[in-house]
Amino acid sequence: MYFNMNTQAAIVKYQSLECAEEKKTLYVADILPAFNKLSENLIFVYGFKSSFSSFEELKSDCVSFLYESLYKWSPEKG
């Protein structure tokens, strides 16, 4: 499973960190792989296509959206 309790714990830790370098290291190591796999699955399962964007561009846009939404994630909601 690509998004598990370890990913959830990494997001909670990410939200609590102040140092940008520590956040970057944690994001790249523990969160980004899950976001990449989630984005790939969303594109394939729902058949997202664009005549103007490649698969990698769609995936990048999706990962960017997830990254920008990290601050909204609430551990209380699970």
Side-chain angles (χ1 to χ4, degrees):
M1 188 148 201
Y2 56 89
F3 199 98
N4 55 35
M5 294 306 288
N6 293 334
T7 308
Q8 181 173 322
I11 292 172
V12 171
K13 185 175 179 182
Y14 177 89
Q15 288 177 325
S16 69
L17 292 174
E18 304 253 343
C19 176
E21 192 59 38
E22 289 177 10
K23 281 181 137 182
K24 177 183 174 185
T25 301
L26 179 64
Y27 176 77
V28 169
D30 297 328
I31 301 171
L32 182 59
F35 281 4
N36 279 329
K37 188 62 179 168
L38 175 60
S39 298
E40 289 172 5
N41 287 348
L42 287 170
I43 292 167
F44 287 126
V45 168
Y46 294 103
F48 295 130
K49 296 177 186 168
S50 172
S51 55
F52 303 108
S53 299
S54 68
F55 169 78
E56 286 302 319
E57 290 172 321
L58 288 172
K59 181 178 160 186
S60 177
D61 286 347
C62 187
V63 170
S64 294
F65 174 78
L66 292 168
Y67 174 77
E68 290 172 356
S69 301
L70 268 177
Y71 77 94
K72 296 179 188 178
W73 191 82
S74 173
E76 292 81 32
K77 292 183 180 179

